[in-house]
Amino acid sequence: MIEENVFANAFNPESSIRREWRTELADDLRNPTLKVSTREAITRRLRRVYFLLLSVLLLAWLFRISLFVPGERWVETAAMPGVPGTVVVGVVVLYYVVALVLTAWPSSRQAKGEYHGVEAGDWKDDE
């Protein structure tokens, strides 16, 4: 909204995409709304960056519990004080399954006001 109306008008004030942009901008600043759902935000971030980083972290943890303590089973090595290793492994597996499901979740783009096929100006319409 700011790029389309404020910055563009600074260079060419004669052409404005939306005539009521000041009212819409003031309204959005007074009553901000989320332009993207929480699930879509998490899914996009996992796909683009975090799932790969979490995968590297998982590999490091697997190496740590399986290679660095000879003479102990890997389940015993995964244990924390007061928490059995099977519980720790179960929580880690559950965490990564949820992360994988969120990453691979098929969805169409729902965010408003982005460049991905949404018309300019449709960013704040309630559905």
Side-chain angles (χ1 to χ4, degrees), residues 2-75:
I2 291 175
E3 289 174 358
E4 290 175 5
N5 296 291
V6 177
F7 297 147
N9 286 336
F11 296 110
N12 186 6
E14 299 299 320
S15 66
S16 177
I17 294 173
R18 297 181 68 110
R19 299 292 176 205
E20 302 295 323
W21 68 270
R22 290 183 178 151
T23 306
E24 290 181 26
L25 181 59
D27 181 48
D28 187 56
L29 291 172
R30 286 186 187 101
N31 304 307
T33 59
L34 295 175
K35 312 301 188 279
V36 63
S37 69
T38 303
R39 187 189 53 78
E40 184 177 356
I42 290 171
T43 300
R44 291 190 72 210
R45 282 166 182 77
L46 280 170
R47 280 183 191 154
R48 291 179 176 215
V49 177
Y50 292 112
F51 192 74
L52 181 61
L53 292 175
L54 290 171
S55 299
V56 170
L57 184 63
L58 177 64
L59 285 174
W61 181 74
L62 289 172
F63 279 123
R64 193 263 177 232
I65 67 170
S66 62
L67 296 178
F68 288 112
V69 183
E72 265 188 24
R73 291 180 37 230
W74 61 272
V75 175

Side-chain angles (χ1 to χ4, degrees), residues 77-94:
T77 306
M80 296 180 352
V83 182
T86 54
V87 173
V88 173
V89 170
V91 168
V92 169
V93 166
L94 179 65

